[in-house]
Structure formats: structure tokens, C-alpha cells
Amino acid sequence: MKDVVEFTESDVLLRLPTARLPRAKADRQRLITLLKLALDRVAFGLDEVSAHRINAACHEYACADQNLPHNVASRGDLVTRRGKRGSYVYRATQPGIERARALLVELFNDDTELRV
């Protein structure tokens, strides 16, 4: 089993196998954001995560762009966004946390592409 998450003193770093990520950039943004939000909640008790942290995580997987806020917020059942452009904060909903948990289980149980 490979490590898929690295915990530092101040951040959660995703170490996802790129072959398992969705090919579509918007889907990749949603998946990475959802996992980042859920893991930041578990590791640091953060209910809301700044756009800066989300953008950094998406940048690591070459999917950060100006459409990220819209793409992520379009799945309001899993992730909510509030604030003004440039200072957004994101929050995983309870269904989002449950979906993130299922995605982490999928990472270890099979080799298929992950889907939000």
C-alpha cells in the first residue's frame, strides 16, 4: 500500500497516484478539493479551508485555473464556497465528508479511476 497523504505540522499534502485521478480538469479539481477539505478537517479541525490551500493542492496536480471556484462550487451538495473572489473559503458538507471517506477507501481497495 502506498502513502496517499503526508501530514506536516501545518498542512495535509495529498500524494495521490495521478493515474487514478479523473482526466477532466474540473472533475480533478472537485476530487482534490473534497479530499483536501476532509483531511484538513480530520488533521487540524478546520471546518473551512482558504482558497490558497485548495489552489496549492490543485496546482500540485496541474489542475489549478480560474474556473476552479466555479467548478468546485457547482457540487454544492459536497462542497460549499463563501466569501469574495480572491478570498474564498471552502467547506465540505456532511455528504462531502462521507464521499471523501469512500474515496479514500477506494484508493486502497481497487485500481480504478476515482470519481466524485
Side-chain angles (χ1 to χ4, degrees):
M1 213 182 304
K2 293 184 180 178
D3 293 333
V4 296
V5 179
E6 179 182 338
F7 295 95
T8 70
E9 288 186 27
S10 61
D11 205 356
V12 173
L13 306 172
L14 299 174
R15 301 295 184 229
L16 306 169
T18 55
R20 302 284 309 277
L21 298 175
R23 295 186 196 281
K25 188 181 276 190
D27 292 336
R28 189 175 281 212
Q29 291 169 343
R30 289 182 196 106
L31 179 110
I32 290 168
T33 298
L34 185 60
L35 291 174
K36 176 77 172 141
L37 290 171
L39 291 166
D40 273 359
R41 182 181 287 183
V42 169
F44 300 108
L46 298 175
D47 286 332
E48 296 181 329
V49 175
S50 71
H52 174 74
R53 289 172 76 105
I54 299 299
N55 291 340
C58 287
H59 180 73
E60 290 290 319
Y61 292 94
C63 64
D65 65 16
Q66 74 271 7
N67 297 322
L68 190 146
H70 172 73
N71 291 337
V72 170
S74 70
R75 286 297 308 268
D77 58 323
L78 301 176
V79 174
T80 61
R81 175 190 77 197
R82 69 177 184 84
K84 294 183 178 187
R85 186 175 186 90
S87 62
Y88 290 129
V89 292
Y90 296 93
R91 183 178 190 280
T93 64
Q94 188 57 41
I97 295 293
E98 292 168 11
R99 182 63 191 131
R101 182 181 302 124
L103 286 166
L104 289 168
V105 169
E106 285 178 44
L107 270 169
F108 295 106
N109 289 333
D110 61 49
D111 291 330
T112 61
E113 181 179 299
L114 298 169
R115 297 192 182 275
V116 174

